Amino acid sequence: MEKATLILEGGATRGVFTSGVLDYLMEKDLYMSHVIGVSAGSCNGVDYVSKQIGRTKDCMIYRDGEFDYYFGVRKFMKEKTIINMDLIFDKFPNEIYPFDYDTYFDSEIKAEWTVTNCETGKPEYMDSRDDKERLMKICRASCSMPLLSPVVKIGGTPYLDGGLADSVPLKRAMTYGNKKIVIILTKNKGYRKKLVTRGKRRFYERAYKKYPELVKTIVYRPFMYNSVMARIERLEEEGKIFVIRPEKRLISRLERNMEKLNEFYDHGYEQSERYYENLLKYLGK
């Protein structure tokens, strides 16, 4: 195991790129001592810690219409979620694509999965090494996109997508004390988020009137994201961190085209293979 920190950005179905990157690294038996994931990065991360090559891909790219986790508009109105979260975080890990809880709980890899506290608007970093239900609930909270998914309560506290408060937790990762940091991003170099419009802000204020601090976090998110991206690009140029990111055209955040999803997964695998030797040099191997 390499003494290094691995940061995994979210991005909904764009996270299939990260699946390809990690599958190649796992095939090479390259594991890092610390992992911190956000949203879809959390789903990828738990499968990295449990050493399950291909599992995240299977969960994200359903075959021949099987296990379609998208709800239609009518069901969305009833379930209050665009994605079948029960399927992804209950049936998948416990029945369809079994998650290796034993390997995960016994792993020496230190892991944290990022969630956003709806009451404070602040990020929190969680893990569980002895409670299956709590672990999947943390991952579910980390992936629960605002407006498209209901809040997830853990210990009575409401949480949503970790990317709202800390899209790429570089600052948190630096507290681990590792000299080497590897970041897997799901967006092209130079990508920046657009500011939240007044109309969208009012929409968020109506939807989350119980959580004013959350609304502030959502509105301020583009500033935070763009700032950390600028810092990442600067540190990358200085050789202080190692970044793997897509270089092809991005797919949609809620992509449903199986061909595009497979191509984006393959791109991640190919990028990992392409930069593997440079990554080893960076890690000092």
Side-chain angles (χ1 to χ4, degrees), residues 215-279:
V215 174
K216 292 179 184 178
T217 294
I218 293 174
V219 172
Y220 193 60
R221 182 189 185 193
F223 296 98
M224 295 295 293
Y225 183 88
N226 296 343
S227 176
V228 74
M229 282 299 109
R231 187 181 186 192
I232 285 172
E233 290 170 9
R234 183 175 67 254
L235 292 174
E236 181 184 15
E237 290 177 0
E238 295 172 355
K240 295 180 179 178
I241 62 175
F242 194 92
V243 180
I244 299 177
R245 59 166 67 82
E247 295 179 7
K248 292 184 178 180
R249 183 175 180 178
L250 299 181
I251 60 174
S252 166
R253 291 176 66 247
L254 295 175
E255 184 62 64
R256 301 189 66 180
N257 184 291
M258 296 299 103
E259 183 177 351
K260 290 183 179 180
L261 287 167
N262 275 300
E263 287 177 355
F264 210 52
Y265 167 86
D266 290 342
H267 182 45
Y269 188 94
E270 291 161 0
Q271 287 290 87
S272 191
E273 182 178 28
R274 176 185 176 187
Y275 289 106
Y276 184 69
E277 292 302 323
N278 288 337
L279 173 59

Side-chain angles (χ1 to χ4, degrees), residues 65-87:
E66 285 185 305
F67 315 126
D68 188 346
Y69 44 77
Y70 285 100
F71 284 140
V73 176
R74 183 177 299 178
K75 203 160 187 179
F76 169 69
M77 299 302 292
K78 176 183 177 182
E79 302 290 341
K80 306 302 181 185
T81 178
I82 197 69
I83 296 176
N84 188 340
M85 303 295 266
D86 290 335
L87 175 65

Side-chain angles (χ1 to χ4, degrees), residues 25-215:
L25 296 184
M26 286 191 282
E27 288 175 4
K28 291 294 185 180
D29 201 32
L30 180 61
Y31 290 90
M32 298 175 210
S33 60
H34 294 71
V35 182
I36 182 166
V38 183
S39 195
S42 297
C43 293
N44 275 296
V46 293
D47 288 336
Y48 178 77
V49 176
S50 67
K51 300 185 176 182
Q52 291 181 269
I53 299 172
R55 183 180 179 277
T56 313
K57 179 186 179 185
D58 288 338
C59 291
M60 295 186 74
I61 307 178
Y62 51 88
R63 297 182 295 272
D64 300 324
E66 285 185 305
F67 315 126
D68 188 346
Y69 44 77
Y70 285 100
F71 284 140
V73 176
R74 183 177 299 178
K75 203 160 187 179
F76 169 69
M77 299 302 292
K78 176 183 177 182
E79 302 290 341
K80 306 302 181 185
T81 178
I82 197 69
I83 296 176
N84 188 340
M85 303 295 266
D86 290 335
L87 175 65
I88 296 174
F89 296 105
D90 184 6
K91 288 189 175 296
F92 275 3
N94 298 316
E95 298 176 23
I96 301 170
Y97 301 118
F99 180 74
D100 190 344
Y101 290 101
D102 291 336
T103 297
Y104 184 90
F105 291 156
D106 291 340
S107 176
E108 295 181 359
I109 297 175
K110 306 300 181 183
E112 288 188 318
W113 315 119
T114 310
V115 295
T116 298
N117 185 315
C118 296
E119 295 175 340
T120 67
K122 303 294 184 183
E124 295 183 17
Y125 310 93
M126 299 181 172
D127 189 23
S128 177
R129 293 300 172 102
D130 58 8
D131 189 325
K132 298 178 181 180
E133 183 177 349
R134 179 178 172 83
L135 175 61
M136 286 302 143
K137 188 170 284 190
I138 291 169
C139 291
R140 181 171 182 157
S142 185
C143 294
S144 292
M145 295 179 287
L147 303 179
L148 300 180
S149 303
V151 300
V152 177
K153 289 193 175 181
I154 302 176
T157 302
Y159 294 97
L160 275 176
D161 193 330
L164 299 176
D166 198 355
S167 297
V168 184
L170 176 62
K171 185 176 180 180
R172 176 69 177 184
M174 288 180 168
T175 66
Y176 299 162
N178 291 332
K179 293 182 179 180
K180 304 295 183 179
I181 294 179
V182 178
I183 305 177
I184 301 177
L185 301 177
T186 57
K187 303 175 185 68
N188 305 132
K189 189 172 185 177
Y191 177 91
R192 298 292 186 269
K193 287 189 178 296
K194 296 180 180 179
L195 303 185
V196 176
T197 64
R198 291 182 180 179
K200 284 187 177 181
R201 176 168 186 159
R202 287 195 292 269
F203 195 72
Y204 283 121
E205 287 172 342
R206 288 195 296 269
Y208 297 112
K209 57 185 178 182
K210 289 174 56 179
Y211 307 118
E213 295 303 318
L214 174 66
V215 174

